[in-house]
Amino acid sequence: METDRDPGLQPERTRLAWRRTTLTCLVTAVLAMRQALRSGSSGPAVAAVGLAALAFLAFLRLAHRRIQRLGAARPPAMPVRTATAVAVAVCMVALAVFGSAVVW
């Protein structure tokens, strides 16, 4: 059973939101790397930067896959409790934690 969806610009707005979020994650990962390089690159800081980079790459893959699906004429809705939605949330939290670990 499919519900009625906005056939207008909703998919385009959602695609743009995914791209903005991806860009924000990239900036966070780059700033964490820059901070680690400037602070002398201690062992935990390097590990946090590596983990932040992995979290960003995982998020990038998930976002790219979702952006491609939104390119369809009638893109499917992403259910809230799917593995993709949970993985995106985990990537965002991990990026925040690893980024803050570099700063401290």
Side-chain angles (χ1 to χ4, degrees), residues 68-87:
Q68 284 181 330
R69 287 184 183 151
L70 287 169
R74 290 195 50 88
M78 183 171 73
V80 176
R81 295 182 187 207
T82 63
T84 302
V86 171

Side-chain angles (χ1 to χ4, degrees), residues 78-101:
M78 183 171 73
V80 176
R81 295 182 187 207
T82 63
T84 302
V86 171
V88 167
V90 168
C91 286
M92 301 278 35
V93 170
L95 193 58
V97 168
F98 300 139
S100 64

Side-chain angles (χ1 to χ4, degrees), residues 5 8-19 62-78:
R5 295 190 56 211
L9 295 176
Q10 180 184 7
E12 180 64 23
R13 288 190 306 265
T14 305
R15 230 183 349 264
L16 289 172
W18 276 99
R19 288 183 178 149
L62 293 166
H64 179 70
R65 195 167 60 193
R66 185 63 187 155
I67 288 169
Q68 284 181 330
R69 287 184 183 151
L70 287 169
R74 290 195 50 88
M78 183 171 73

